[in-house]
Amino acid sequence: MESTAPKVPHGHLPPELIFDILLRLLVKSLLRFTCVSKSWNSLISSPEFIKTHLKETSNARNTAHRKLIFSSTFSPVLDFLTECNFDSVLYSPTIEATDMVTHMVASSMTEATKIQHPAKKSIDIVGSCNGLVCIAMEYTFNPFASDSIRDLCFFLWNPSIRKYRKLPQCSFGFDFENSDVAAYGFGYDELHDDYKFIAFLRVRSPEKIAEDHDVEIYSQRTNSWKTNEVFKKYCFLPFQGGYFVDGKLHWSGTFHHEEEDHYPSYKIVSFDLADETYGEIELPENYKRKSNALRWSIGVLGEGRLAFFWLHTPDLDVWIMTDYGATQSWTKMCSIRYPKDLQCRLGFHLNVHPVFLSKRGELLLKVKSLLLLYNLEDGAYKILEVRSKLRGFRGILKVDMYDENLVLLDAHDG
């Protein structure tokens, strides 16, 4: 029997319904639909749609749009990046398993694809925010000659739509061995709708224990660099990347007292991207007076919450700040004991780091060049093997995340 429901002509759907339907689509589909009509292209390219779609995709519980991006940190810095779909890394039991033997070999393996980027040579990831990845590309001309020349470029890059914007030339280098960069970070200033990159540059003085820092800030809104006031109070671990939470970037900082009999004290240093001011966050009470800067680090877990990690081999304590800025809200989530077969030289905090807390109560961990999935309930773990050019890499793996979106849709192709 033919339906008697009224039929709505394709070209006469209410605009608000079209808007709502398009919001639910993946970026690849949206890019194709910009060719449907001028009105759809105008809608999908509009700032309102891009911002609303970004909020939809960056929901911490919605990981369908999320990607993991792999690189290296410190030497050797690689000249390529690889990525994987987040859910496939965590939950796909097999990838391309076509027979029983392949099934056994490929169990829990995920294929990582090489992603295109707008340059070659060495690549560092400065940070990622709202689906944008800030990357540093360095070209070296005549690398084995005494008069070799190094040329550094920074890019804001949206890998999901292959668009990028090159930053103006900066006045500093950017690598672990030769740079004066003590700390750096990338984040979003929501008040001014602006993406900013910040770098603390060492100002060395033989008369001081602590180092002064010049502060260089790039604004995407003005497409320019500026120098902020000298930052004097804290020392940072070398070449330390910042973590973006609640409109602020965060680093682990060491404060050296002028009195010689005082041990250094440790705090989390913050930088507000909107008003460009500094702040401090105290560590959990039990850790304030512990004196090893290489035993603790910070990160972001859960729904954009600041996290604190204390490594006392073979255990790692994981804390979450449930109410941002309130010291008393530090809550211990768990204490992880690493399996005996992985308890080998985990003394440096860069070698072990939580990456993501899943909605299933599983913690994704990076241990040197390995990825582990740790179950908070029963303490079970499994090693996640990712098939890529990085397989067998003996350096320290760096893992970042981004959510697919349309930010920088009007930028250069890359």
Side-chain angles (χ1 to χ4, degrees), residues 22-39:
L22 292 177
L23 279 181
R24 303 167 190 270
L25 300 180
L26 296 175
V27 166
K28 288 183 179 179
S29 298
L30 290 172
L31 292 178
R32 289 200 305 270
F33 290 162
T34 57
C35 302
V36 169
S37 66
K38 289 183 179 180
S39 61

Side-chain angles (χ1 to χ4, degrees), residues 198-201 203 212-217 226-233 271 275-278:
I198 179 172
F200 293 87
L201 310 181
V203 180
D212 291 347
H213 298 91
D214 285 335
V215 185
E216 296 286 327
I217 302 173
K226 71 175 182 179
T227 302
N228 210 17
E229 63 184 63
V230 175
F231 184 70
K232 299 182 177 182
K233 198 169 184 180
F271 182 81
D275 58 22
E276 298 183 354
T277 57
Y278 304 98

Side-chain angles (χ1 to χ4, degrees), residues 58-229:
S58 59
N59 184 331
R61 296 185 179 277
N62 178 14
T63 56
H65 302 268
R66 187 155 296 160
K67 296 289 186 72
L68 292 178
I69 185 168
F70 304 108
S71 60
S72 64
T73 183
F74 308 142
S75 183
V77 179
L78 303 175
D79 65 350
F80 63 91
L81 303 170
T82 57
E83 69 172 359
C84 276
N85 179 274
F86 181 86
D87 285 343
S88 69
V89 170
L90 267 61
Y91 305 127
S92 294
T94 58
I95 293 294
E96 298 180 353
T98 57
D99 54 50
M100 182 59 69
V101 176
T102 306
H103 176 87
M104 296 176 64
V105 173
S107 178
S108 75
M109 299 278 286
T110 300
E111 190 73 34
T113 58
K114 185 176 180 181
I115 55 181
Q116 301 299 314
H117 48 75
K120 296 180 179 179
K121 303 304 181 184
S122 64
I123 306 170
D124 278 303
I125 295 183
V126 175
S128 62
C129 179
N130 290 348
L132 287 187
V133 182
C134 184
I135 52 179
M137 303 275 187
E138 186 171 68
Y139 302 83
T140 304
F141 302 95
N142 299 321
F144 302 107
S146 58
D147 59 346
S148 63
I149 299 174
R150 307 173 81 175
D151 184 24
L152 175 70
C153 298
F154 289 99
F155 296 87
L156 295 185
W157 177 44
N158 186 334
S160 56
I161 60 174
R162 302 292 189 262
K163 298 280 189 175
Y164 72 91
R165 182 165 292 150
K166 184 178 178 181
L167 276 59
Q169 196 67 32
C170 62
S171 61
F172 54 87
F174 195 80
D175 67 85
F176 178 70
E177 296 178 347
N178 301 293
S179 178
D180 285 327
V181 175
Y184 59 90
F186 173 68
Y188 178 59
D189 170 6
E190 185 174 8
L191 180 64
H192 303 103
D193 189 22
D194 194 8
Y195 290 90
K196 294 180 178 178
F197 167 36
I198 179 172
F200 293 87
L201 310 181
R202 295 186 186 91
V203 180
R204 303 180 189 275
S205 172
E207 300 174 357
K208 296 181 180 181
I209 298 177
E211 297 174 332
D212 291 347
H213 298 91
D214 285 335
V215 185
E216 296 286 327
I217 302 173
Y218 167 79
S219 163
Q220 186 250 345
R221 192 177 183 87
T222 64
N223 194 32
S224 62
W225 292 92
K226 71 175 182 179
T227 302
N228 210 17
E229 63 184 63

Side-chain angles (χ1 to χ4, degrees), residues 267-332:
K267 293 184 181 181
I268 297 171
V269 181
S270 68
F271 182 81
D272 191 311
L273 292 177
D275 58 22
E276 298 183 354
T277 57
Y278 304 98
E280 300 174 354
I281 296 178
E282 297 283 353
L283 305 186
E285 189 65 36
N286 296 344
Y287 302 87
K288 286 182 180 179
R289 293 174 179 82
K290 294 191 176 183
S291 57
N292 193 331
L294 296 177
R295 291 286 182 178
W296 71 281
S297 63
I298 60 174
V300 182
L301 286 178
E303 298 180 15
R305 290 178 174 173
L306 189 63
F308 167 83
F309 315 119
W310 179 265
L311 179 64
H312 48 109
T313 309
D315 295 331
L316 180 76
D317 296 340
V318 180
W319 292 68
I320 294 287
M321 179 170 270
T322 57
D323 181 12
Y324 180 80
T327 305
Q328 65 274 16
S329 73
W330 280 117
T331 304
K332 189 174 181 179

